Amino acid sequence: MTSELNSPIDAPLEKVALETYRPPAKPSLIGLSREELSELLGECGVGEKQRKMRIAQLWHWMYVRGAQSFDAMTNVSKDLREQLNAHFTVDRPEVVAEQVSNDGTRKWLLRLPGDGAGRAHEVECVYIPETDRGTLCVSSQVGCTLNCSFCHTGTQRFVRNLTAGEIVGQVMVAKDRLNDWIDRETPHANRLVTNVVMMGMGEPLYNFDAVRDALLIVMDNEGIGLSRRRITLSTSGVVPNIVRTGDEIGVMLAISLHAVRDELRNELVPLNRKYPLKELLEACRNYPGSANSRRITFEYVMLKGVNDSMDDAKLLVKMLKGVHAKINLIPFNPWPGTKYECSDWDQIERFSEYIFNAGYSSPVRTPRGRDILAACGQLKSETEKLSVRERDALRAMAMTD
Ligand code: SAH
Ligand code: SF4
C-alpha cells in the first residue's frame, strides 16, 4: 500500500502473539453458542429431542441466575449434572485482586489460563458506576497487537487473544462481585451492570470472532440481555472489520481518532498507514444506523502541543461533516517513559467549546478511579509493576471480602 511505503516510520505495524494458549483440561461452558452446547450435550448422550430444552435450562442458569456450579442447576437431571461435572465447568476468569476506588470505581485483576508452562495470563476489567448507569470496561486481548505511541498497552508485548468465554467471563465476574444476578427475591431490581464498553486492553477488531461471539451472548435476550445500544466497541480503525461489526454484531461504535491529519495519525495510531483517514471515515459513514439515532463516538486524546490546536479543532469539525458523530475528549493519562503530556485544562475547554458551538456534543471524559490506576491506557501495566509484596497485599484484600 502506498501510504505504508511512504511512511517515515519503519516499526512493524502489528505484533505477533508471543505465547500459545492451552485450554484447561475441563473447559468452561461460558462463551459457547447454543450450537456448540448442543454438540457437547450430544457427546454426553443427550438425545436430539431433549437438547433444546436442556440448553434453555443451562442458558438460564448460566446467564440469568449466574450459577457458578452445575450442582446449583436444580431442574437439570442429576444424571446430566454428573456428566457435565465430569467433563466441564462454568468457571469464569479467576479474580486475583479487587480494588475499590474512593469514587466507587472497581477494578479486577483476572488470571486466565496461560501457556501450559506455568505462566498465567492476566487482564483487567473496570466497573464505573454513575447516577444513571453502570459501565463495565472489558478487555479483548492480553496486550495489544498494535503500537499506538501514546498508549501504554501499545508499548507492551502482545501475549494472546482472549477467547469468547474469557470476554463474557469478565461480565460474569463483575456481576458475581457486584451481586448483580437475578434471583427469586429481586426479579425486577435494577441491574448494576447496564453498559459494556470494549475499551480495556487490546484491539477488539483484531480478535473479531471471539468478540462477536461474546457480545452476541451478552446481548442475548434469554440471558444477560443488554441492548445493543448499551454496548460500545472501540477500535483504532480496522476498516474491514468495522463493516463486519455493523453486519454481524450491530453494537455502537467508537473510533479512536486522535488526529485529523494522516501524517500525525500515522505517528499516533500507526494502523492509519494501513487504513488512512479517508477510508476510515467512509466506513463510519456507511456504518448501519449511524445516519439516525445511533451516533458514532470519536475519541480524541488531548496531547499538549501535538493535536490540541484550534486548527485541529476546526479540521475535526470539517472532517466529521456528514457523519452523525459525538466527540469524546479524553485527557491524556501519562505513564512512565512517555514523551507526551496532557493538554492544559484551558486548552481542553477551548477545544471542547469550539466543537460544542459547531453542534457536536463533546463531553470531556472525567478520569475515574485514578487512585486505583483504572483510567484509560493504564490497565494491567501498572499492576504489573507493583512489587510482589504489594501484589500479595492486594490478593489478600480480594480474599477477605
Ligand atoms: N484498542 C481499542 C480499545 C482500547 S483503548 C482502541 O484503541 O480504540 C480505549 C481508549 O483509550 C482508546 O480511545 C485509546 O486510544 C485510549 N487511550 C489509550 N491510552 C491512553 C492514555 N494514555 N490516555 C488516554 N487515553 C488513552
Ligand atoms: Fe492497542 Fe488501542 Fe492501545 Fe492502540 S490505543 S495500542 S489499538 S489498546
Side-chain angles (χ1 to χ4, degrees):
M1 197 176 277
T2 41
S3 58
E4 229 166 293
L5 289 175
N6 293 340
S7 164
I9 307 161
D10 297 326
L13 263 184
E14 292 151 32
K15 293 171 256 182
V16 291
L18 282 180
E19 285 177 26
T20 48
Y21 149 74
R22 284 248 205 102
K26 259 204 217 181
S28 173
L29 296 187
I30 304 294
L32 299 186
S33 64
R34 287 189 175 79
E35 293 69 34
E36 288 166 325
L37 284 175
S38 174
E39 241 171 69
L40 291 181
L41 288 182
E43 286 167 21
C44 285
V46 179
E48 229 163 286
K49 275 195 190 144
Q50 262 208 16
R51 269 186 237 167
K52 217 173 153 193
M53 183 260 287
R54 292 298 185 206
I55 290 169
Q57 287 176 330
L58 280 172
W59 203 269
H60 179 83
W61 280 109
M62 291 194 290
Y63 299 123
V64 176
R65 305 289 293 276
Q68 298 191 26
S69 73
F70 294 116
D71 295 334
M73 305 182 180
T74 43
N75 62 351
V76 175
S77 74
K78 201 154 176 267
D79 274 1
L80 181 56
R81 272 189 272 155
E82 271 168 20
Q83 280 266 38
L84 291 170
N85 255 328
H87 302 288
F88 309 105
T89 68
V90 279
D91 286 352
R92 348 8 193 122
E94 180 195 351
V95 179
V96 287
E98 176 177 70
Q99 286 174 277
V100 184
S101 159
N102 49 26
D103 69 10
T105 300
R106 281 170 190 247
K107 183 170 82 167
W108 297 282
L109 174 65
L110 305 174
R111 181 177 300 152
L112 311 167
D115 60 357
R119 279 179 300 224
H121 296 156
E122 289 175 351
V123 287
E124 286 185 344
C125 173
V126 177
Y127 175 71
I128 306 155
E130 288 171 279
T131 40
D132 62 336
R133 69 184 66 187
T135 304
L136 190 69
C137 180
V138 170
S139 294
S140 56
Q141 300 179 315
V142 185
C144 183
T145 358
L146 298 168
N147 305 301
C148 303
S149 55
F150 60 91
C151 171
H152 203 182
T153 309
T155 65
Q156 295 165 39
R157 60 200 195 119
F158 170 54
V159 178
R160 72 166 169 92
N161 278 330
L162 299 195
T163 64
E166 290 166 342
I167 298 168
V168 180
Q170 293 171 63
V171 181
M172 316 271 297
V173 161
K175 288 175 84 71
D176 292 343
R177 299 296 302 169
L178 295 166
N179 235 333
D180 193 33
W181 293 109
I182 295 183
D183 58 29
R184 286 224 170 80
E185 284 78 50
T186 56
H188 305 297
N190 285 338
R191 302 270 71 90
L192 295 173
V193 178
T194 63
N195 292 56
V196 165
V197 292
M198 296 301 304
M199 291 187 190
M201 286 190 102
E203 169 48 59
L205 295 191
Y206 269 151
N207 185 13
F208 185 85
D209 290 1
V211 167
R212 174 199 55 208
D213 295 352
L215 293 182
L216 292 179
I217 290 178
V218 173
M219 289 190 281
D220 191 293
N221 272 332
E222 310 286 309
I224 298 168
L226 288 193
S227 135
R228 63 187 53 210
R229 285 166 175 276
R230 289 186 171 271
I231 300 178
T232 303
L233 184 149
S234 172
T235 177
S236 55
V238 188
V239 167
N241 286 350
I242 290 178
V243 181
R244 287 187 71 193
T245 303
D247 292 344
E248 299 175 40
I249 321 180
V251 290
M252 306 297 282
L253 191 64
I255 303 286
S256 290
L257 190 66
H258 309 316
V260 285
R261 286 170 287 114
D262 278 316
E263 203 191 353
L264 178 61
R265 197 162 187 272
N266 285 346
E267 203 181 308
L268 298 178
V269 185
L271 186 67
N272 194 68
R273 286 148 55 197
K274 199 165 181 179
Y275 307 113
L277 282 166
K278 193 163 169 275
E279 286 180 31
L280 179 58
L281 287 166
E282 187 62 21
C284 292
R285 281 195 191 90
N286 294 332
Y287 193 74
S290 64
N292 40 54
S293 59
R294 282 168 61 191
R295 283 186 297 176
I296 294 177
T297 302
F298 288 84
E299 296 163 278
Y300 197 94
V301 64
M302 297 299 291
L303 303 169
K304 188 175 182 169
V306 175
N307 65 354
D308 64 348
S309 72
M310 294 319 286
D311 278 348
D312 289 307
K314 280 177 200 157
L315 257 178
L316 177 58
V317 166
K318 211 168 137 196
M319 198 175 91
L320 291 183
K321 228 178 178 152
V323 185
H324 210 64
K326 182 159 80 180
I327 299 163
N328 202 337
L329 300 180
I330 317 175
F332 172 64
N333 277 308
W335 37 271
T338 179
K339 60 179 176 183
Y340 300 108
E341 279 176 77
C342 183
S343 308
D344 294 331
W345 198 251
D346 284 0
Q347 188 57 20
I348 298 182
E349 278 188 344
R350 266 198 296 274
F351 201 99
S352 162
E353 201 175 287
Y354 181 86
I355 293 166
F356 181 79
N357 289 337
Y360 289 99
S361 142
S362 62
V364 179
R365 196 191 289 165
T366 349
R368 297 287 305 267
R370 274 216 154 151
D371 53 332
I372 57 165
L373 302 171
C376 296
Q378 294 186 332
L379 293 194
K380 177 168 178 261
S381 47
E382 288 293 342
T383 317
E384 234 177 14
K385 285 204 199 71
L386 298 179
S387 67
V388 174
R389 203 151 50 88
E390 284 168 312
R391 287 180 69 150
D392 284 349
L394 282 178
R395 281 198 191 122
M397 208 176 89
M399 273 146 66
T400 48
D401 58 20

